[in-house]
Amino acid sequence: MRFSYTSAFGPQAFDTRAYDSRVFDTQAGSAAGDFGDLPEWDLSDLYPAVDAPEVKRDLDWLEEACASFANDFEGKLADLDGAAMYDCILRNERISQVAGRLGSYAGLLYYQNTVDGTRAKFFSDIQDKITNFTAPLVFFSLEVNRIADNTVESMLEHADLARYRPIFERMRKMRPYQLSDELERYEHDMSVVGASAWNKLFDETVADLKFNVDGTELGLEAAATLMSDQDRSKREAAAREVANVLGKNIKTFTRVHNTLAKMGDVEDKWRGMPTPQTGRHLSNDVEPEVVEALRDAVVAAYPKLSHRYYELKRGWLGLDKLQVWDRNAPLPMEDDKAVQWDDARKMVMDAYAGFHPKMAELAEPFFTKGWIDAGVKDGKAPGAFAHPTVTDAHPYVMLNYLGKQRDVMTLAHELGHGVHQVLAAEQGELLSSTPLTLAETASVFGEMLTFQKMLAGAKTQNERKVLLAGKVEDSINTLVRQIAFYDFECKLHDARKGGELTSETINDLWMSVQGESLGPAFEFMDGYETFWSYIPHFVHSPFYVYAYAFGDGLVNALYAAYVENPEGFQDKYFDMLKAGGSKHHTELLAPFGLDASDPKFWDKGLSMISSMIDELEAMD
C-alpha cells in the first residue's frame, strides 16, 4: 500500500539475503547445543502474552483513537495553523506507535514458528484489526496533498512542526499518483486479502517444503546450506534435490508471481506510475537515475568482479567448469570448524568496540536482554532480519545461526541494523524509519568492521586468502547477484504486461541474467532455471534487492573515506545513523564528501572489491 496507513513489518523490517548468499547448514532443530547457549527472544517487552489484557487494552485504544482522529481532522486539515497541525502529527505518531507495537509482537511470534496455527491466526487477526481500525486514517495523506503549497509552508513555520518537513515532502512527492479517496479506502480495506494473502501463501508453501538428500528429510535452510558443504557430492545432491522439489511446486510459485506482478501493474496503471519501479524509488526516497547509475556501474563491472573471481575459484577447486553447487563452496584450504556462539559474539563486539566503544555499548543489550533469537528451529522463518519494532521499545534480531564464518558476518550485519535502529529511535515514530537504500548502511559497515578485524588477525597466508575470498563472495552476492535479481524482476514485470507468464517463460527470464552476471566459468544444471521461485524479496517487496547493492557500494566508499581520513569520522557516522529517515541521502553523505548521484561514486566502491581480487590473483 502506497498511501494508506501501514504499521509494523514493512519491507525494511527484514533482511533475508540469506536465501541466496547466506545459506545455512545442518538440520533444523539439531543445532542449538552444538554452538553454545543460543539466545532466544524475550518478547515480554512488547506484551506478556497473546491473551494478555494489555493486548486488548491497546486494540481498544487504537480503535477509538483512529475514529476520533478522523472525526477531529477529516476535511479540516487545510484550515489548521502550524500549532494545530503539530498536534495532529503527534496524535498520528502515537497511533502509529501503538499499531506498530501490536503488529510487531504478532509478527515476531509468527516468524518464530510460521507453521504454528495459533500464531498464524493471531498474526492474521491482528493485521485484520489494525487494517480495519486504521481505515479512517486513509484521508490524511490524501488531504495533505490537496493543501496549497503556500499553506503548507506557512504551517511549517511553526518551530515544532518544522522538524516533520521530510514527512510532508515525501507525501507530496506522491501527489501525482493519488487515487480518489474512495479508491484509496477500498485498497486499504482489501490489503489483507491482496498482496498480504499471497505473501502468506508463499511463506507457508516454502516452510512446508521437504527435501530428501541422501535419505535425510530436510527443510529449505538445511538443504540449501548443503550446497556450501566441503563434500562436492553432497553439494550436488542437495542442488539437484532443491531443483526437483522446486520443480514439483513451480505452478504455485508461478501463480504467486503472476498474480502479484499483475496486481502491481493494475495499481500502477490506475495511479499513473510510469514504471513498475517508480513506487519503490519513491518509498526509498531515491531518484531513478541514481539507481540506474548504480545498476549500470555494477553490470559494467561484471567482468572484473564476478567473472574474474569465479575463474580464480574454478582453478582453486581444480575444475574445468563450475556448477551451480560450486558457487558457494568453501575453498579447499578452508577450516570447516564451527564457530561457537560466544566466539562469534566476541569477534563482532571486539570489531565494534575497535571502531568506537559506544558502538559496542549499543550492541551489548541484544546479547543480554533477549533481543536476539539465534537458533534454527522447526517452522522458524529462514534467513535473518533486524526488526525495529517501535521507538518506545527496541529492535529484535533474528538469525539462523549454524557456526559458519558467514554466520558471524550475518551477526555483524544484523547487529549493525539494530544499532542503527536504536540510534534512529530518538527521531520518533514517523521519522526514525530509514529508506531501504540507507537502511543497509550500518549493517554492511558492521560487516566491514568485523571483516577487517578478522583480516588483521589472520596468522597465515591461507587464512588471509580464505577471509579475502569470503568477503569477495559476499560482495558479489550483494552487488552482482542483487543487481542481476533486480534485472530479472524488471524483465518479469515488463513481460507480465503482455499477459500471463508460463513457468517456462519465467525460467527463461531467470536464466537470461545468470550467465551474464556469473560469467563463463559456470555451467548450469537442468533445474537451476527454477531457483528464482524461493527468493522472498520478489514476493514480499518487489525491487527491494537493489537496496543491498546500494548499501554495499555506499559502505565501500564510506569505509574508504574512513581509512583516508579517520579524524572525526566516528562522530559524523553516529550523526548519520541518528538521523534515521529525517534527511535525504545527499544530506547524509555530504559531511563525508560523498555523492551517490555521481556515477564515479559507485566505481570507487566497486574498485575496493576489485583490489581484493587483485590480491587474491597475486597469491596464486
Side-chain angles (χ1 to χ4, degrees):
M1 293 181 295
R2 295 192 177 103
F3 282 84
S4 54
Y5 173 82
T6 55
S7 62
F9 278 88
Q12 69 270 36
F14 298 98
D15 175 34
T16 47
R17 189 167 21 145
Y19 272 107
D20 188 68
S21 68
R22 296 201 170 168
V23 289
F24 302 101
D25 60 357
T26 199
Q27 296 182 46
S30 69
D34 297 336
F35 311 109
D37 188 14
L38 297 180
E40 295 186 354
W41 281 332
D42 175 5
L43 299 180
S44 63
D45 286 346
L46 297 174
Y47 293 100
V50 297
D51 57 354
E54 292 88 344
V55 173
K56 182 179 187 305
R57 176 201 67 196
D58 284 357
L59 285 169
D60 290 346
W61 181 91
L62 183 65
E63 183 176 22
E64 193 281 328
C66 291
S68 63
F69 182 92
N71 183 66
D72 291 346
F73 293 112
E74 187 168 10
K76 306 169 187 175
L77 294 182
D79 298 325
L80 301 181
D81 60 15
M85 179 60 81
Y86 177 60
D87 176 62
C88 176
I89 287 288
L90 291 181
R91 287 175 61 178
N92 187 301
E93 192 160 43
R94 180 59 184 157
I95 287 170
S96 179
Q97 194 166 60
V98 173
R101 180 179 286 268
L102 288 161
S104 292
Y105 179 63
L108 291 170
L109 275 175
Y110 172 71
Y111 284 101
Q112 273 188 309
N113 189 346
T114 62
V115 297
D116 182 289
T118 302
R119 295 183 187 219
K121 174 177 166 47
F122 181 68
F123 186 29
S124 182
D125 288 348
I126 289 293
Q127 284 185 312
D128 287 352
K129 288 176 180 178
I130 290 174
T131 300
N132 291 336
F133 295 165
T134 59
L137 274 63
V138 172
F139 81 90
F140 181 73
S141 62
L142 305 175
E143 199 169 311
V144 165
N145 283 347
R146 288 196 291 267
I147 301 174
D149 289 343
N150 60 343
T151 303
V152 171
E153 285 301 320
S154 177
M155 291 176 181
L156 289 170
E157 290 176 3
H158 185 275
D160 292 325
L161 184 64
R163 69 179 296 268
Y164 290 95
R165 175 179 288 275
I167 299 295
F168 288 89
E169 290 178 345
R170 283 199 283 268
M171 274 194 289
R172 291 170 81 78
K173 283 181 181 178
M174 305 294 280
R175 275 192 294 180
Y177 311 114
Q178 281 188 187
L179 302 175
S180 68
D181 291 12
E182 187 176 32
L183 280 175
E184 293 290 358
R185 289 192 177 95
Y186 175 78
E187 180 177 292
H188 177 94
D189 290 348
M190 286 295 291
S191 63
V192 293
V193 291
S196 175
W198 289 96
N199 289 346
K200 287 180 183 174
L201 173 63
F202 172 85
D203 289 340
E204 291 165 3
T205 301
V206 169
D208 284 341
L209 294 179
K210 300 300 179 187
F211 304 83
N212 191 308
V213 183
D214 295 334
T216 302
E217 187 175 85
L218 306 171
L220 176 59
E221 289 279 0
T225 195
L226 287 177
M227 289 189 279
S228 63
D229 196 89
Q230 285 279 6
D231 186 338
R232 192 169 190 244
S233 64
K234 287 185 180 180
R235 298 201 302 269
E236 179 178 358
R240 294 195 182 281
E241 176 63 0
V242 169
N244 173 51
V245 173
L246 293 180
K248 290 178 180 177
N249 290 272
I250 202 66
K251 286 185 178 179
T252 300
F253 292 123
T254 299
R255 171 57 48 218
V256 169
H257 283 70
N258 263 297
T259 302
L260 289 173
K262 184 61 178 178
M263 288 170 66
D265 183 45
V266 170
E267 182 173 354
D268 289 341
K269 181 177 71 174
W270 276 83
R271 293 192 182 282
M273 289 194 170
T275 73
Q277 300 84 9
T278 297
R280 176 64 62 200
H281 298 336
L282 286 167
S283 67
N284 283 348
D285 200 20
V286 66
E287 300 74 22
E289 55 270 22
V290 173
V291 177
E292 286 309 301
L294 163 64
R295 182 263 171 201
D296 292 346
V298 173
V299 171
Y302 285 170
K304 70 177 183 180
L305 297 182
S306 50
H307 296 188
R308 190 160 61 115
Y309 173 75
Y310 286 129
E311 181 58 28
L312 275 175
K313 187 166 188 176
R314 183 196 62 75
W316 296 334
L317 296 177
L319 300 171
D320 293 330
K321 283 284 187 180
L322 293 176
Q323 299 289 343
V324 294
W325 55 80
D326 299 316
R327 186 171 61 81
N328 285 316
L331 302 188
M333 72 290 294
E334 189 167 334
D335 183 0
D336 199 34
K337 182 181 177 182
V339 180
Q340 294 295 300
W341 174 254
D342 286 345
D343 293 333
R345 171 179 173 173
K346 186 176 187 308
M347 288 180 199
V348 176
M349 291 295 283
D350 285 352
Y352 276 28
F355 175 71
H356 196 284
K358 179 179 179 179
M359 197 160 173
E361 290 169 11
L362 290 166
E364 182 68 21
F366 285 86
F367 295 99
T368 59
K369 294 188 176 181
W371 299 3
I372 299 177
D373 196 297
V376 176
K377 308 162 195 170
D378 289 330
K380 183 176 176 181
F385 63 74
H387 177 53
T389 72
V390 286
T391 55
D392 62 348
H394 56 78
Y396 284 91
V397 163
M398 193 194 82
L399 306 170
N400 279 275
Y401 186 83
L402 287 159
K404 295 290 188 182
Q405 288 276 19
R406 282 177 175 162
D407 294 338
V408 179
M409 299 304 287
T410 300
L411 173 60
H413 183 102
E414 300 307 337
L415 273 182
H417 277 304
V419 167
H420 193 173
Q421 290 158 359
V422 169
L423 286 169
E426 66 183 47
Q427 293 291 338
E429 211 62 45
L430 298 181
L431 286 169
S432 61
S433 181
T434 309
L436 292 178
T437 43
L438 296 170
E440 294 303 319
T441 305
S443 55
V444 180
F445 196 81
E447 281 189 76
M448 180 64 80
L449 292 173
T450 304
F451 163 71
Q452 294 291 349
K453 181 77 172 178
M454 295 167 70
L455 190 66
K459 297 179 177 64
T460 67
Q461 187 180 43
N462 271 352
E463 193 175 340
R464 184 175 180 87
K465 184 175 185 178
V466 168
L467 286 168
L468 280 170
K471 181 60 179 174
V472 169
E473 288 197 14
D474 277 346
S475 291
I476 288 173
N477 283 327
T478 306
L479 284 159
V480 171
R481 292 290 283 170
Q482 304 303 324
I483 289 300
F485 286 179
Y486 176 67
D487 279 355
F488 165 72
E489 284 190 275
C490 292
K491 290 183 176 187
L492 186 149
H493 282 257
D494 185 58
R496 185 63 180 88
K497 292 177 184 293
E500 183 87 2
L501 301 177
T502 65
S503 303
E504 291 74 20
T505 299
I506 302 178
N507 292 348
D508 288 344
L509 294 174
W510 172 255
M511 294 307 297
S512 72
V513 303
Q514 296 305 306
E516 178 190 22
S517 60
L518 296 178
F522 277 91
E523 284 182 347
F524 299 101
M525 69 170 186
D526 290 341
Y528 180 65
E529 65 275 7
T530 64
F531 275 44
W532 55 269
S533 61
Y534 72 105
I535 297 172
H537 298 84
F538 303 155
V539 173
H540 285 283
S541 43
F543 308 108
Y544 178 115
V545 289
Y546 75 72
Y548 285 120
F550 194 108
D552 199 87
L554 186 154
V555 165
N556 287 340
L558 199 63
Y559 192 81
Y562 170 48
V563 172
E564 291 168 8
N565 189 15
E567 184 68 29
F569 182 92
Q570 288 92 336
D571 289 339
K572 289 187 287 187
Y573 179 75
F574 287 126
D575 286 343
M576 178 176 67
L577 300 190
K578 288 176 185 176
S582 66
K583 294 182 180 180
H584 190 262
H585 64 80
T586 52
E587 294 179 84
L588 290 173
L589 294 177
F592 304 97
L594 300 173
D595 179 6
S597 64
D598 181 356
K600 293 179 181 178
F601 169 85
W602 302 112
D603 291 333
K604 183 175 185 178
L606 294 169
S607 294
M608 177 177 284
I609 307 306
S610 185
S611 67
M612 292 182 188
I613 301 175
D614 290 342
E615 183 175 347
L616 287 169
E617 284 181 335
M619 289 180 179
D620 274 16

